[in-house]
C-alpha cells in the first residue's frame, strides 16, 4: 500500500481518523481559550487587589500551575478528580462508578495552566496603563465598573494581545498531551496509524505538518487581529 492510499479518506486510508483528530485538537484549544482568558483575568485582578488574602490566593494559584509540569497537571485533574469524586460518592453511600470525561479534563487542566501564564500577561498590561487613565475616568464621573469596561479594557487588550497570542500557540501545541488520557487528537490518531501500519515516519511526519499548519494559520489570523486592534487604538 502506497503513501497516498494510507493517507486517503475511506476504508483503506487513515484520512478520516486524522481529520477527526484535527477537529478534536482545534475544538479543545478553542474551548480552553475563553476559560483560560477569563480565569487569567480574574487571577490578575486578584494579584492587583488591595485585599491581602486575594493577592495571596492568586499568587499561590499561579505558582502552582506555572511550577507543575503540564502533563502532571493533566494527570491530577483526570485521575485525581475522578478519585475524589468517587470517594465523595462512596461516603454518601453510593456505589456508582464515575469517570471523568477526557475532553473536559483536558480543558480544565490546560485552562488552569493557560490562565496562570495569562494572568502574568494581564498584570504586565495593567502596569503599562498610566494611573491618569483611571483618574481621568473617575473625574468624568464613571464608576469603577464603567471605567474598567470603557477605558481600561480596550487598552488592556491592545497591550496584552501579543503575549496572549504566544500563549495561544503554546496552548495549541500542549493539546497533544491529552493523547495520554485517551482523547483522540492528532497525535493519538497518527500514533495509532503508525503502530498499525508500521509507517511511523509517514504518520508522525503528517502530525508535524498538521501542527505547523495550525500554527501558521493561527499566526496569520492573530497578526491580522493585532493590526486591527493597533489601528483602532491609533485612530482613537
Amino acid at each position: 500500500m502506497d503513501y497516498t492510499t494510507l493517507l486517503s479518506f475511506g476504508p483503506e486510508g487513515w484520512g478520516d481518523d486524522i481529520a477527526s483528530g484535527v477537529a478534536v485538537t482545534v475544538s479543545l484549544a478553542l474551548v480552553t481559550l475563553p476559560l483560560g482568558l477569563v480565569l487569567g483575568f480574574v487571577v490578575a485582578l486578584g494579584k492587583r487587589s488591595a485585599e491581602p488574602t486575594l493577592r495571596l490566593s492568586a499568587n499561590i494559584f499561579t505558582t502552582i500551575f506555572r511550577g507543575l509540569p503540564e502533563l502532571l497537571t493533566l494527570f491530577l485533574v483526570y485521575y485525581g478528580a475522578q478519585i475524589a469524586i468517587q470517594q465523595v460518592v462512596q461516603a454518601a453511600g453510593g456505589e456508582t462508578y464515575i469517570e471523568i470525561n477526557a475532553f473536559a479534563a483536558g480543558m480544565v487542566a490546560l485552562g488552569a495552566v493557560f490562565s496562570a501564564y495569562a494572568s502574568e500577561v494581564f498584570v504586565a498590561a495593567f502596569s503599562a496603563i498610566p494611573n491618569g487613565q483611571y483618574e481621568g475616568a473617575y473625574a468624568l464621573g464613571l464608576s469603577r465598573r464603567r471605567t474598567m469596561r470603557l477605558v481600561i479594557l480596550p487598552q488592556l487588550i491592545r497591550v496584552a494581545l501579543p503575549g496572549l497570542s504566544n500563549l495561544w500557540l503554546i496552548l495549541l501545541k500542549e493539546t497533544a498531551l491529552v493523547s495520554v488520557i485517551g482523547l483522540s487528537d492528532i497525535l493519538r490518531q497518527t500514533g495509532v496509524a503508525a503502530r498499525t501500519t508500521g509507517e511511523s515516519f509517514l504518520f508522525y511526519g503528517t502530525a508535524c505538518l498538521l501542527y505547523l499548519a495550525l500554527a501558521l494559520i493561527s499566526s496569520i489570523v492573530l497578526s491580522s487581529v493585532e493590526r486591527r486592534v493597533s489601528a483602532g487604538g491609533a485612530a482613537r
Side-chain angles (χ1 to χ4, degrees):
M1 186 177 294
D2 60 24
Y3 288 168
T4 56
T5 302
L6 288 173
L7 294 174
S8 66
F9 294 89
E12 294 186 354
W14 291 86
D16 297 312
D17 300 285
I18 295 173
S20 69
V22 173
V24 169
T25 293
V26 174
S27 298
L28 179 59
L30 287 176
V31 298
T32 301
L33 180 63
L35 172 65
L37 287 175
V38 171
L39 185 55
F41 184 72
V42 171
V43 173
L45 292 178
K47 283 174 167 286
R48 292 173 50 83
S49 174
E51 175 59 45
T53 304
L54 289 178
R55 288 202 309 274
L56 178 62
S57 300
N59 285 322
I60 290 174
F61 178 89
T62 55
T63 299
I64 290 174
F65 288 107
R66 290 174 66 195
L68 290 178
E70 288 82 354
L71 185 59
L72 179 56
T73 301
L74 180 62
F75 284 153
L76 288 175
V77 172
Y78 184 63
Y79 296 109
Q82 191 166 280
I83 293 172
I85 293 174
Q86 196 64 41
Q87 292 293 332
V88 171
V89 170
Q90 291 177 356
E95 297 182 358
T96 304
Y97 178 74
I98 297 176
E99 183 174 354
I100 299 294
N101 180 271
F103 189 93
M107 181 182 68
V108 171
L110 295 179
V113 174
F114 183 94
S115 67
Y117 287 96
S119 68
E120 298 296 326
V121 175
F122 284 128
V123 168
F126 271 120
S127 300
I129 299 174
N131 288 330
Q133 297 288 326
Y134 296 89
E135 295 168 359
Y138 297 150
L140 292 173
L142 296 181
S143 64
R144 291 176 64 87
R145 186 183 298 273
R146 286 173 62 82
T147 297
M148 178 63 69
R149 182 168 61 88
L150 299 177
V151 179
I152 304 303
L153 272 181
Q155 300 179 70
L156 187 75
I157 292 172
R158 187 167 65 252
V159 175
L161 193 54
L164 295 177
S165 298
N166 289 333
L167 291 181
W168 161 257
L169 294 175
I170 293 172
L171 171 64
L172 199 58
K173 293 185 297 182
E174 287 181 347
T175 56
L177 296 174
V178 299
S179 62
V180 301
I181 58 173
L183 198 62
S184 299
D185 68 327
I186 293 174
L187 190 59
R188 183 171 180 82
Q189 295 288 42
T190 53
V192 171
R195 289 191 296 273
T196 302
T197 62
E199 297 289 348
S200 299
F201 183 79
L202 170 65
F203 287 105
Y204 286 127
T206 300
C208 247
L209 294 176
L210 289 172
Y211 279 111
L212 288 174
L214 291 175
L216 179 60
I217 293 170
S218 297
S219 296
I220 293 171
V221 172
L222 290 170
S223 295
S224 176
V225 171
E226 287 182 30
R227 285 195 299 270
R228 287 177 179 271
V229 171
S230 298
R236 285 194 293 273

